[in-house]
């Protein structure tokens, strides 16, 4: 019933906008298909059809033509399937362990309620994703089916694998919330004994379950394409899969980020308005906040990690097939990069077991522990083991690459730059976001005298400084990779530095399961604190005797609350550390993907390379335009949060009951969830369509304009995202210091840090984190768009392309306009009753 009401209300809200979007898109498709029809007639009159299609036309070499350790390439990769299977079993085994951990019924009921609201949200998102896939499908069919004359089977393969990509992102996101909603109540219950180790161990175990299954499923799908799909069809499979998972990740990241921050702000502001405690059960916004912790901090990052891992791999495969002329070397490099991924799954599992044994021995029976320390140890241990195994496996797999017996260690060094970044970047992030950070303590100190004003300014300082240091760190590691790429790699391929940069992005994800695990740690710790409060466990009659009788545990309520709050600070820190890693892969990986477009436009870097210059005006204009798009996106995503939070606050203030009740009504809680879902969908709808049509428009303006645009959104997006993510992290943990260390809840200082935290909420969990999938979706979809534009320009002239560019830009600008003017706080009045129809578009 609840799910049906949410969907009905969403349909009321978005129906008008969706009909207009479909109508506009349909009209433009008529224009485009008329040109396609004319091209088909031209081909029928004897002209040779264009058989381009870029990545979709790439043919994989025969994997059996190279030998590795006495086995051919196909056989050795088949062994990798076994590792993927074991990785999946690892994830599922931990899932079952978490499910079977002891938990009190009061806490289990709350976690199941959170899961049910998460399910409703995900079902609604799934239906919306299929609508967005329809826009992509039209372009795929028009371009590959009609314009390039691909046979129907190949077009269907691209469409099928785009759906598989969406299903992969969607499926691992669903698994993530199920695991986390088991872990949240079990963590809350484990805290009752008053010992810190279980409070640390359970969230990390949940994160490793998600990380291992996510990476194993991703790797399994890509190995399946590589091993079992005929070589001439593998290109379409990879490009379709990459586009699909990018679409899924972008939509789930954007909508999840908007949802979670609407709920978080709506819930947090009640602490100031009514002077109530955090996660007060009487606040109807708390359930929505818990759902948002999963929608934004679990669903979004999980889908994002799945997409990042896959797209980076597709980019490297594409480069190898385009930039390496020797088929034997192609096979050697393809097998090598997949063996690197298989090895890194093993390294992550091994590191987890070693670190867990050390942590249990050190912290198993202590009364106090630094929750961040074992997480930090895990990251560094995984990095060290991964780097060591990178050299060992590289030596075994490619001791002689293209006749050069030294390239194995040079390639290992390049990829190790990225693996090292996976450990160094979190350390740099902690300098600006940890509860131990001087920058975060500066935020608290400035708040003590300057209130919310200086709190916000100090957070800006932390964010800006972090962008400098992380940027310099990434550049330094890429410079080292560039140095090694100049040591003989150019003899095997064109643009060796580009390949090196792609390997750095690949190495960023070398610790994939662990990176996902420490990121997923945060939503569990956040939810655990909420589950404890919402369960009203302290008010259950004879609960201490019941727990002693049924579970054999002695209860320590105050101690439990302290541990959960302290662990939430560690969760905040490590949520922050994973964000720049994923953002960094978007930028470095986009370099490799953009190279594919450059190769096609310049006939393998033999013609028109002068257009990749500041002397070519369209290229410069593209650089400037990309920056504009990033700042619009920042504003649009924040506006959706602002408007939705206003509506949520308005509803909560009107309906909260603080006298005579222990809990908010389920109906009021669900109503807040509806408000969050509605504005998340509306914001995502406007943003996605503006990006979709904008990508088409800029690709049709001029190809080198579009290359400048792609480079620009990557660079602007990198620094904007790092600044916003770390400023938000600093504000968040400044509040945590006031609550946990200073114990000044309810004071003016606390109110000032709450204001800073609400400013940082859309910074760190909406705008910044969504830039990663948005950049990669734009680049991947841009591969199709620019090829389509080049073909139409070749056959009809620049005027036809410019006409379509203007038409697509007009539609994009409609949704850019709507992202503010149709989302303004004063535009519509909130319904006075839940049953009344929504107003506006």
């Amino acid at each position: 019933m609840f799910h049906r009401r949410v969907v009905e209300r969403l349909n009321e809200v978005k129906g008008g906008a969706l009909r207009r979007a479909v109508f506009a898109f349909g009209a433009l498709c008529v224009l485009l298909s008329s040109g396609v029809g004319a091209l088909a007639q031209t081909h029928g009159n004897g002209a040779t059809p264009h058989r381009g299609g870029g990545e979709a036309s790439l043919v994989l070499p025969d994997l059996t033509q190279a030998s590795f350790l006495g086995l051919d390439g196909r056989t050795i990769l088949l062994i990798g399937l076994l590792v993927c299977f074991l990785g999946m079993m690892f994830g599922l085994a931990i899932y079952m362990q978490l499910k079977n951990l002891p938990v009190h019924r009061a806490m289990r009921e709350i976690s199941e309620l959170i899961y049910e609201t998460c399910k409703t949200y995900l079902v609604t998102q799934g239906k919306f994703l299929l609508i967005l896939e329809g826009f992509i499908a039209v372009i795929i069919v028009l371009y590959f089916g009609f314009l390039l004359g691909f046979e129907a089977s190949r077009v269907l393969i691209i469409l099928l694998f785009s759906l598989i990509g969406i299903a992969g992102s969607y499926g691992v996101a669903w698994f993530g919330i199920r695991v986390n909603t088991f872990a949240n109540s079990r963590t809350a219950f484990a805290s009752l004994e008053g010992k810190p180790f279980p409070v640390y161990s359970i969230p990390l175990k949940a994160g490793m379950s998600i990380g291992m299954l996510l990476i194993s499923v991703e790797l399994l799908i890509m190995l399946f394409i590589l091993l079992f799909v005929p070589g001439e069809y593998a290109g379409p499979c990879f490009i379709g899969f990459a586009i699909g998972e990018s679409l899924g990740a972008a939509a789930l990241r954007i909508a999840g980020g908007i949802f979670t921050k609407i709920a978080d702000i709506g819930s947090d502001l009640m602490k100031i308005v009514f002077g109530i405690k955090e996660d007060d059960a009487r606040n109807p916004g708390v359930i929505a906040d818990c759902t948002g912790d999963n929608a934004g901090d679990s669903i979004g990052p999980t889908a994002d990690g799945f997409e990042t891992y896959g797209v980076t791999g597709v980019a490297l495969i594409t480069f190898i097939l385009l930039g390496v002329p020797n088929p034997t070397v192609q096979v050697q490099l393809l097998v090598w990069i997949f063996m690197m991924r298989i090895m890194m799954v093993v390294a992550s599992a091994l590191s987890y077991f070693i670190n867990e044994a050390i942590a249990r021995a050190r912290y198993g029976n202590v009364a106090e522990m630094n929750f961040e320390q074992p997480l930090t140890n895990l990251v560094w241990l995984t990095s060290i083991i991964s780097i060591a195994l990178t050299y060992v496996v590289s030596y075994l797999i490619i001791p002689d690459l293209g006749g050069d017996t030294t390239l194995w260690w040079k390639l290992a060094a390049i990829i190790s730059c990225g693996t090292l970044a996976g450990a160094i970047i979190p350390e740099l992030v902690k300098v600006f976001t940890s509860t131990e950070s001087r920058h975060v303590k500066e935020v608290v100190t400035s708040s003590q005298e300057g209130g919310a004003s200086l709190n916000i300014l100090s957070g800006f300082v932390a964010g800006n400084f972090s962008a400098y240091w992380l940027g310099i760190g990434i550049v330094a590691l890429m410079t080292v990779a560039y140095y090694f790429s100049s040591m003989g790699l150019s003899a095997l391929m064109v643009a060796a530095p580009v390949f090196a940069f792609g390997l750095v992005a690949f190495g960023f994800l070398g610790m994939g399961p662990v990176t996902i695990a420490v990121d997923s740690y945060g939503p569990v710790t956040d939810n655990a604190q909420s589950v404890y409060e919402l369960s009203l466990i302290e008010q259950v009659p004879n609960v201490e005797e019941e727990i002693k009788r049924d579970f054999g545990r002695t209860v320590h309520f105050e101690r439990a609350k302290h541990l959960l709050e302290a662990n939430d600070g560690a969760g905040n820190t490590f949520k922050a550390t994973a964000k720049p890693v994923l953002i960094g892969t978007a930028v470095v990986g986009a370099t490799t993907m953009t190279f594919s477009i450059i190769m096609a436009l310049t006939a393998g870097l033999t013609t028109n390379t002068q257009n990749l210059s500041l002397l070519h005006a369209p290229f410069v204009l593209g650089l400037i335009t990309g920056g504009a798009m990033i700042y619009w996106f920042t504003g649009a995503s924040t506006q959706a949060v602002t408007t939705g939070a206003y509506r949520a606050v308005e509803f909560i203030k009107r309906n909260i009951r603080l006298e005579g009740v222990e809990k908010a009504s389920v109906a009021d809680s669900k109503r807040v969830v509806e408000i969050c879902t509605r504005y998340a969908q509306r914001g995502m709808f406007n943003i996605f369509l503006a990006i979709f049509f904008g990508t088409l428009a800029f690709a049709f303006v001029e190809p080198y304009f579009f290359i400048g645009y792609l480079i620009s959104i990557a660079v602007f997006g990198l620094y904007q995202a790092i600044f916003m993510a770390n400023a938000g992290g600093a504000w968040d943990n400044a509040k945590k210091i006031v609550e946990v260390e200073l114990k000044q809840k309810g004071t003016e200082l606390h109110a000032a840090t709450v204001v800073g935290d609400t400013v940082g909420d859309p910074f760190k969990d909406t705008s910044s984190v969504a830039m990663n999938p948005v950049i990669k979706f734009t680049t991947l979809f841009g591969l199709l768009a620019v090829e389509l534009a080049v073909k139409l320009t070749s056959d009809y002239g620049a005027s036809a392309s410019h006409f379509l560019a203007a038409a697509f830009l007009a539609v994009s600008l409609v949704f850019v306009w709507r992202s503010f003017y149709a989302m303004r706080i004063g535009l519509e009045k909130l319904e006075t009753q839940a049953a009344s129809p929504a107003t506006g578009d």
Side-chain angles (χ1 to χ4, degrees), residues 27 38 83 155 190 196 201 206 240 280 349 353 385 393 452 491 510 541 548-549 593 609 641 682 708 719 819:
V83 175
V155 176
S201 180
D280 194 301
F353 286 123
I385 291 176
V393 175
K548 183 69 174 178
R549 182 187 68 244
M593 289 186 282
T609 54
V641 171
R682 290 181 62 183
Y719 288 102
S819 65

Side-chain angles (χ1 to χ4, degrees), residues 645-690:
Y646 178 90
R647 299 301 182 204
V649 168
E650 189 177 42
F651 178 84
I652 295 169
K653 286 167 68 176
R654 274 210 324 255
N655 292 277
I656 193 170
R657 301 288 181 268
L658 299 178
E659 302 294 334
V661 297
E662 291 183 341
K663 292 184 178 182
S665 73
V666 174
D668 284 347
S669 295
K670 288 181 175 180
R671 180 71 181 108
V672 179
V673 173
E674 288 180 33
I675 292 171
C676 296
T677 305
R678 184 173 75 213
Y679 283 94
Q681 293 280 14
R682 290 181 62 183
M684 180 187 70
F685 184 74
N686 289 326
I687 290 168
F688 174 80
L689 290 179

Side-chain angles (χ1 to χ4, degrees), residues 102-109 189 192 535-555 557:
V103 59
H104 191 272
R105 64 183 185 281
M107 292 178 170
R108 184 176 58 245
E109 288 169 3
F189 183 72
L192 294 176
S535 69
L536 300 178
I537 189 73
E538 298 178 42
Q539 300 176 31
V540 175
N542 302 315
V543 67
E544 296 184 48
E545 293 81 0
E546 179 189 346
I547 293 174
K548 183 69 174 178
R549 182 187 68 244
D550 295 343
F551 301 99
R553 299 187 179 189
T554 302
V555 174
F557 289 126

Side-chain angles (χ1 to χ4, degrees), residues 674-740:
E674 288 180 33
I675 292 171
C676 296
T677 305
R678 184 173 75 213
Y679 283 94
Q681 293 280 14
R682 290 181 62 183
M684 180 187 70
F685 184 74
N686 289 326
I687 290 168
F688 174 80
L689 290 179
I691 291 170
F692 176 85
F693 286 107
T695 302
L696 286 172
F698 298 139
F700 274 72
V701 168
E702 204 260 7
Y704 297 96
F705 173 95
F706 189 61
I707 291 173
Y709 172 77
L710 293 179
I711 294 171
S712 180
I713 63 170
V715 175
F716 274 91
L718 171 69
Y719 288 102
Q720 179 79 333
I722 291 175
F723 156 68
M724 298 185 78
N726 291 332
W731 283 317
D732 195 357
N733 268 345
K735 182 191 74 170
K736 191 58 61 178
I737 288 174
V738 171
E739 293 174 343
V740 178

Side-chain angles (χ1 to χ4, degrees), residues 665-839:
S665 73
V666 174
D668 284 347
S669 295
K670 288 181 175 180
R671 180 71 181 108
V672 179
V673 173
E674 288 180 33
I675 292 171
C676 296
T677 305
R678 184 173 75 213
Y679 283 94
Q681 293 280 14
R682 290 181 62 183
M684 180 187 70
F685 184 74
N686 289 326
I687 290 168
F688 174 80
L689 290 179
I691 291 170
F692 176 85
F693 286 107
T695 302
L696 286 172
F698 298 139
F700 274 72
V701 168
E702 204 260 7
Y704 297 96
F705 173 95
F706 189 61
I707 291 173
Y709 172 77
L710 293 179
I711 294 171
S712 180
I713 63 170
V715 175
F716 274 91
L718 171 69
Y719 288 102
Q720 179 79 333
I722 291 175
F723 156 68
M724 298 185 78
N726 291 332
W731 283 317
D732 195 357
N733 268 345
K735 182 191 74 170
K736 191 58 61 178
I737 288 174
V738 171
E739 293 174 343
V740 178
E741 295 183 18
L742 303 183
K743 300 188 182 302
Q744 291 195 34
K745 289 184 178 181
T747 65
E748 290 186 3
L749 174 61
H750 186 225
T753 58
V754 169
V755 171
D757 182 38
T758 56
V759 173
D761 279 338
F763 269 50
K764 64 185 175 65
D765 290 324
T766 305
S767 300
S768 61
V769 293
M771 286 184 194
N772 171 33
V774 164
I775 289 169
K776 280 184 287 191
F777 172 77
T778 300
T779 307
L780 275 167
F781 181 57
L783 294 174
L784 299 184
V786 77
E787 289 167 6
L788 176 59
V790 168
K791 179 56 183 169
L792 285 176
T793 301
S794 173
D795 285 277
Y796 288 100
S799 296
S801 291
H802 291 164
F803 171 75
L804 286 171
F808 285 129
L809 182 60
V811 179
S812 178
L813 289 174
V814 167
F815 290 100
V816 169
W817 182 90
R818 284 179 51 80
S819 65
F820 174 72
Y821 289 99
M823 295 288 289
R824 284 177 298 158
I825 290 174
L827 184 67
E828 62 179 40
K829 297 297 183 182
L830 183 65
E831 311 89 287
T832 56
Q833 295 180 356
S836 63
T839 59

Side-chain angles (χ1 to χ4, degrees), residues 389-444:
L389 289 178
T390 295
Y391 281 91
V392 172
V393 175
S394 296
Y395 174 74
L396 294 174
I397 296 297
I398 50 170
D400 183 353
L401 183 64
D404 190 330
T405 57
T406 66
L407 285 178
W408 69 267
W409 67 264
K410 295 169 186 174
L411 288 172
I414 292 171
I415 203 172
S416 294
C417 289
T419 309
L420 194 59
I424 291 176
I425 288 176
E427 290 300 315
L428 290 174
V429 170
K430 286 195 289 184
V431 170
F432 302 96
T433 63
S434 170
T435 52
E436 304 297 320
S437 159
R438 282 183 288 180
H439 282 275
V440 175
K441 291 179 179 178
E442 173 81 1
V443 175
V444 176

Side-chain angles (χ1 to χ4, degrees), residues 84-143:
C84 294
F85 176 77
L86 293 175
M88 292 170 63
M89 291 302 100
F90 177 98
L92 292 172
I94 294 182
Y95 168 90
M96 293 305 300
Q97 288 179 18
L98 291 169
K99 183 179 180 181
N100 294 326
L101 284 175
V103 59
H104 191 272
R105 64 183 185 281
M107 292 178 170
R108 184 176 58 245
E109 288 169 3
I110 297 299
S111 65
E112 288 304 304
L113 175 59
I114 294 169
Y115 175 62
E116 288 302 316
T117 56
C118 288
K119 277 204 310 184
T120 300
Y121 168 78
L122 261 180
V123 168
T124 307
Q125 283 293 84
K127 293 180 179 180
F128 204 63
L129 274 173
L130 292 178
I131 295 172
L132 300 182
E133 167 68 5
F135 288 89
I136 303 297
V138 169
I139 297 297
I140 288 174
V141 171
L142 283 174
Y143 178 54

